[in-house]
Amino acid sequence: PTQMVVLRPGDVLNITFPGSPALNTTQQIRRDGKISMSIVGDVVAAGKTLDQLKADLLALYSTQITSKEINVVVTSSTFDIYVTGYVVHPGKVTTDHPITALEAIMESGGFNYATADLRSVKVIRVEKGVTKTYKLNLKAVLDGKASEQFYMEPSDIIYVPERFSWF
């Protein structure tokens, strides 16, 4: 199953060329989804599996290397998400594993229970250049009435709004 890992911005890759060690490099996938490789320049890595990236690199370097062997290993996979609004410690949460919206809020010290509206937490996400907003009822999750797990993507913003009281 490790080969089905889909690469994303923030992943750090160790790329080795057993036949041409001078080309060995460690690259972090940039926000634009690319890595900078010597000789061939920028290569799109995000959205590909390790095998797909390896095949692309073999094709790009086919005239440069004698041994048709390139190894690509993910050495670290971290990404940032942002939590704001009525939480104890708003700010950036950096994670190296899949994390749900609720877990990210807990990493930020949890809700400010006096003022937070747990029923209308928003996740703002940019997908292919389009900003999308998802509304989560985390009160239902905390009350055990819902089990939906909303997993975060890199650069997501979680906004916990204020609960309005009418008294």
Side-chain angles (χ1 to χ4, degrees), residues 1-165:
T2 45
Q3 290 302 312
M4 287 314 295
V5 169
V6 175
L7 299 169
R8 62 179 174 223
D11 287 355
V12 177
L13 307 176
N14 188 2
I15 303 167
T16 54
F17 297 76
S20 311
L23 294 172
N24 291 357
T25 182
T26 298
Q27 290 285 327
Q28 183 167 25
I29 302 176
R30 301 189 309 252
R31 276 181 175 276
D32 66 3
K34 297 176 181 171
I35 53 176
S36 296
M37 299 295 296
S38 61
I39 305 171
V40 300
D42 284 354
V43 178
V44 173
K48 296 184 175 171
T49 64
L50 289 172
D51 286 343
Q52 288 169 328
L53 179 59
K54 200 186 305 188
D56 289 356
L57 292 172
L58 279 168
L60 288 166
Y61 281 99
S62 61
T63 59
Q64 312 293 333
I65 56 177
T66 48
S67 99
K68 299 294 175 222
E69 194 181 355
I70 298 176
N71 298 314
V72 182
V73 179
V74 178
T75 56
S76 121
S77 178
T78 63
F79 62 95
D80 295 334
I81 48 188
Y82 304 90
V83 183
T84 186
Y86 291 83
V87 292
V88 178
H89 300 290
K92 178 167 70 172
V93 173
T94 302
T95 181
D96 61 358
H97 59 276
I99 186 172
T100 66
L102 186 57
E103 289 167 337
I105 291 167
M106 294 308 158
E107 289 271 336
S108 303
F111 298 98
N112 178 334
Y113 284 98
T115 52
D117 181 355
L118 310 187
R119 288 184 177 87
S120 358
V121 174
K122 290 184 177 66
V123 173
I124 301 153
R125 173 177 295 169
V126 176
E127 291 177 8
K128 297 182 175 80
V130 179
T131 301
K132 296 191 174 174
T133 304
Y134 300 88
K135 189 172 164 187
L136 309 177
N137 180 348
L138 295 181
K139 181 163 185 2
V141 175
L142 288 168
D143 290 346
K145 293 186 172 81
S147 60
E148 73 181 68
Q149 296 295 326
F150 191 93
Y151 282 93
M152 306 312 298
E153 298 282 333
S155 300
D156 277 355
I157 298 167
I158 302 171
Y159 172 67
V160 179
E162 184 175 19
R163 184 180 65 231
F164 295 102
S165 52

